[in-house]
Amino acid sequence: MRRRSQTSVDDTPVPADDPKPQGKGRPTPKRRDAEGRRRQPVSAPKDRKEAYRQMRAKQAAERDRARKGMLAGDERYLPARDKGPARKFARDWVDSRRLPSQYFLPFSLLILLATWIPWPIQVRGLILGYVITIGWPIMMIGVVATSLYVAWKVKKLGAEKLPNESMRGVGFYAAMRALQIRKLRFPPPTVAPGGKPVAPRK
């Protein structure tokens, strides 16, 4: 009986970028192997301590990137309560003005310091009397009036400029921002009083 002749197969590995067509005698390179040649070698951690160090470095880099994004006002890194064109409009409107309510916290701190100073009894009573009967009520009236005005004005202008955006909660958001000291506001102001843009913090 006649035996069929066996054909030898060339199993020499062929580069993935070989321009010659693959014949029956040469195996087609696997996709996994071809991609592996293009990838750069990645140094695997030697032990658990090294893996932990690499993870900490990666997390630190991500936090730094997020911090810079938040300071620059990048929407991708802002909390949910600060995202959206309506909130951006409210922040810019408040930051472009000097409002009485922004002096509420410094005024309260000044009153607190005044009560700690060991004044003579007569002077102390006089100062506290003026503060309690005149200064504090005037400041509270100014804060309430300013907050109501800011909330109403921002919602009104926001609805006109951004008709397709929801204004729900935007008025309260603007009023609360107007109560904060300018340097402590977050996200940081991108406009100065008067409307001029300011350089982002580093």
Side-chain angles (χ1 to χ4, degrees):
M1 192 171 177
R2 227 170 181 188
R3 292 185 179 179
R4 295 180 181 178
S5 61
Q6 296 180 352
T7 305
S8 61
V9 179
D10 184 6
D11 57 354
T12 305
V14 180
D17 55 352
D18 190 355
K20 296 180 181 180
Q22 303 296 331
K24 289 183 179 181
R26 311 182 92 180
T28 303
K30 296 181 180 179
R31 181 178 180 183
R32 180 179 57 189
D33 297 336
E35 290 180 351
R37 296 189 187 99
R38 292 194 296 267
R39 291 177 182 172
Q40 295 181 351
V42 179
S43 57
K46 299 178 181 179
D47 50 26
R48 184 176 298 179
K49 186 176 180 180
E50 178 68 15
Y52 181 71
R53 188 190 66 79
Q54 291 182 6
M55 182 184 69
R56 290 289 299 271
K58 183 179 179 180
Q59 291 176 346
E62 290 176 353
R63 286 195 298 268
D64 184 65
R65 184 167 58 252
R67 182 186 65 85
K68 290 180 179 179
M70 286 189 291
L71 291 178
D74 192 332
E75 286 274 333
R76 295 174 297 174
Y77 301 102
L78 293 179
R81 66 180 179 85
D82 297 310
K83 289 184 177 180
R87 303 299 172 104
K88 178 68 167 60
F89 171 78
R91 291 196 299 271
D92 291 346
W93 192 93
V94 171
D95 296 337
S96 64
R97 290 162 175 77
R98 297 187 186 276
L99 302 166
S101 57
Q102 73 185 70
Y103 302 106
F104 172 71
L105 292 179
F107 182 75
S108 300
L109 181 60
L110 183 63
I111 292 175
L112 185 62
L113 292 176
T115 59
W116 287 351
I117 297 176
W119 303 101
I121 296 177
Q122 293 181 351
V123 176
R124 182 182 179 87
L126 186 64
I127 291 176
L128 292 178
Y130 278 117
V131 168
I132 294 174
T133 60
I134 300 176
W136 189 258
I138 291 176
M139 190 64 194
M140 291 302 298
I141 292 173
V143 167
V144 172
T146 302
S147 298
L148 293 174
Y149 171 75
V150 168
W152 169 78
K153 192 70 174 178
V154 168
K155 287 189 70 173
K156 181 177 181 295
L157 294 177
E160 294 175 357
K161 293 181 177 294
L162 304 167
N164 298 325
E165 293 291 328
S166 172
M167 291 293 118
R168 184 177 181 181
V170 173
F172 179 79
Y173 176 81
M176 290 298 100
R177 187 173 179 86
L179 281 171
Q180 300 170 3
I181 300 174
R182 181 179 178 84
K183 289 186 178 181
L184 300 181
R185 291 174 183 171
F186 181 85
T190 57
V191 293
K196 293 183 179 180
V198 297
R201 297 179 188 176
K202 296 182 180 180

